[in-house]
C-alpha cells in the first residue's frame, strides 16, 4: 500500500525515480515498468523531500522525526544499488522542507523550518550547505527569517536560488553564503524554482498558479505565464532550455 507522496525525483538517465511519503517510506521505482526496485526503511516520520545524486548512485531524503513538523529534522543518505543507509546527517534540528544536490554530487543545501502555506510566521528557519561525503555542515546561510518551500542550485554550482513564503526569490552565493539579490514579482508564495541549463535564467511557480521566467543575472522579469488555476507544485526546463513543464 502507498500513502500520500510528498516529493519525487528522477535520476539523470530518466530510468529511475525516487519518492518520499507521509508514511516515512522512501521508494525507488523503475520508470519503464512502474515496479519497485527498493524500499528504504529508516525514517520515523513523514518524508518531505528527496533528491538523487547526479551520478545516480545515491539519494538523499529528508523530513521530521515524529508526527509533527515541530519535531527535529531527519536527513538520510542512501545507497541506491543496495538500498542501505549510508549515513544520517547530524545537526538537522528542524523539519526538512526541500533538498537540492550540487552538480558535482559532493554538496547539497537543505531548507528547514515549519511549513505553513498561509504565510503565518514561525520562530526558526534554516538554509544549510552540507558536505555529502563527510556529513558535515559547511555553513549556515545567515538572515533566514522566512519559510523556504523551494530551492535550486545553478548548473555551475556557484549559486543557489530559493523561493519563499514572502512571495520573493533570493539568490545566494554558495561559497560565502551571502545573499546576493532579492527578486520580487510574485503575488503569492513561491512553491517551486528551477535554473535553466545555462544558469542564466530561472523559472518560478507560485501558490496562485502563476509561472514567471527570470533573467537571473539582472534579476529582471522576462515573461509572466498565467496558465494555471491552482498552485504550481513543480517546474522544470527541458535539457536544451527552450521549453519547460509545470505541474499544478
Amino acid at each position: 500500500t502507498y500513502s500520500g507522496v510528498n516529493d519525487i525525483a528522477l535520476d539523470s538517465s530518466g530510468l529511475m525515480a525516487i519518492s518520499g511519503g507521509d508514511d516515512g517510506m522512501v521508494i525507488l521505482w523503475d520508470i519503464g515498468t512502474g515496479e519497485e526496485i527498493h524500499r528504504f526503511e529508516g525514517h520515523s516520520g513523514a518524508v518531505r523531500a528527496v533528491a538523487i545524486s547526479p551520478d545516480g548512485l545515491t539519494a538523499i531524503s529528508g523530513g521530521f522525526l515524529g508526527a509533527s513538523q515541530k519535531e527535529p529534522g531527519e536527513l538520510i543518505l542512501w545507497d541506491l544499488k543496495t538500498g542501505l543507509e549510508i549515513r544520517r546527517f547530524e545537526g538537522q534540528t528542524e523539519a526538512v522542507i526541500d533538498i537540492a544536490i550540487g552538480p558535482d554530487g559532493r554538496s547539497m543545501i537543505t531548507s528547514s523550518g515549519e511549513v505553513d502555506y498561509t504565510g503565518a510566521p514561525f520562530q526558526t528557519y534554516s538554509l544549510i550547505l552540507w558536505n555529502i561525503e563527510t556529513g558535515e555542515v559547511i555553513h549556515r546561510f545567515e538572515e533566514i527569517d522566512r519559510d523556504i518551500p523551494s530551492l535550486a542550485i545553478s548548473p555551475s554550482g556557484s549559486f543557489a536560488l530559493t523561493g519563499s513564503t514572502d512571495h520573493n526569490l533570493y539568490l545566494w552565493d554558495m561559497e560565502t553564503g551571502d545573499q546576493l539579490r532579492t527578486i520580487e514579482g510574485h503575488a503569492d508564495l513561491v512553491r517551486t524554482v528551477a535554473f535553466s541549463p545555462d544558469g542564466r535564467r530561472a523559472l518560478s511557480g507560485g501558490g496562485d498558479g502563476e509561472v514567471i521566467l527570470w533573467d537571473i543575472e539582472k534579476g529582471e522579469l522576462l515573461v509572466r505565464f498565467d496558465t494555471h488555476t491552482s498552485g504550481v507544485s513543480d517546474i522544470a526546463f527541458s535539457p536544451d532550455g527552450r521549453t519547460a513543464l509545470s505541474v499544478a
Side-chain angles (χ1 to χ4, degrees), residues 118-156:
T118 66
F122 288 99
Q123 293 183 345
T124 57
Y125 314 89
S126 65
L127 185 65
I128 304 174
L129 177 64
W130 301 83
N131 184 314
I132 295 176
E133 296 175 337
T134 66
E136 297 176 347
V137 173
I138 299 174
H139 60 243
R140 294 175 179 266
F141 295 76
E142 300 297 331
E143 301 179 5
I144 305 300
D145 58 358
R146 64 200 77 90
D147 264 334
I148 301 174
S150 56
L151 50 86
I153 298 176
S154 67
S156 67

Side-chain angles (χ1 to χ4, degrees), residues 17-232:
I18 195 167
S19 62
D22 285 333
D23 59 358
M25 196 65 63
V26 177
I27 302 176
L28 182 66
W29 302 89
D30 183 308
I31 295 297
T33 66
E35 297 179 352
E36 288 185 23
I37 299 173
H38 287 303
R39 281 194 172 217
F40 305 84
E41 300 184 14
H43 279 280
S44 55
V47 177
R48 296 302 305 270
V50 293
I52 296 179
S53 62
D55 62 12
L57 299 178
T58 59
I60 306 281
S61 58
F64 43 89
L65 285 171
S68 168
Q69 292 174 170
K70 296 182 179 180
E71 299 288 338
E74 196 169 36
L75 193 59
I76 303 175
L77 175 66
W78 305 95
D79 185 312
L80 289 184
K81 185 176 181 179
T82 65
L84 298 177
E85 179 181 313
I86 298 174
R87 76 165 50 88
R88 289 173 181 255
F89 294 81
E90 302 298 329
Q92 186 61 56
T93 56
E94 294 116 20
V96 177
I97 301 171
D98 202 5
I99 301 167
I101 298 177
D104 62 1
R106 296 163 58 188
S107 61
M108 68 173 173
I109 52 174
T110 58
S111 60
S112 309
E114 296 172 322
V115 173
D116 177 49
Y117 288 137
T118 66
F122 288 99
Q123 293 183 345
T124 57
Y125 314 89
S126 65
L127 185 65
I128 304 174
L129 177 64
W130 301 83
N131 184 314
I132 295 176
E133 296 175 337
T134 66
E136 297 176 347
V137 173
I138 299 174
H139 60 243
R140 294 175 179 266
F141 295 76
E142 300 297 331
E143 301 179 5
I144 305 300
D145 58 358
R146 64 200 77 90
D147 264 334
I148 301 174
S150 56
L151 50 86
I153 298 176
S154 67
S156 67
S158 300
F159 306 103
L161 184 66
T162 60
S164 175
T165 51
D166 66 2
H167 309 174
N168 296 330
L169 286 79
Y170 297 88
L171 186 68
W172 305 84
D173 186 302
M174 287 282 286
E175 183 176 354
T176 66
D178 292 336
Q179 182 178 304
L180 302 176
R181 181 176 292 122
T182 299
I183 303 173
E184 301 178 351
H186 276 281
D188 204 332
L189 66 94
V190 183
R191 299 183 66 174
T192 180
V193 294
F195 276 101
S196 63
D198 63 7
R200 298 174 61 187
R201 296 168 298 154
L203 281 166
S204 58
D208 58 359
E210 190 171 61
V211 174
I212 299 178
L213 177 67
W214 306 91
D215 181 318
I216 288 299
E217 295 178 342
K218 298 178 181 179
E220 296 179 353
L221 189 155
L222 297 176
V223 184
R224 192 185 297 270
F225 302 92
D226 296 316
T227 55
H228 294 290
T229 58
S230 59
V232 182

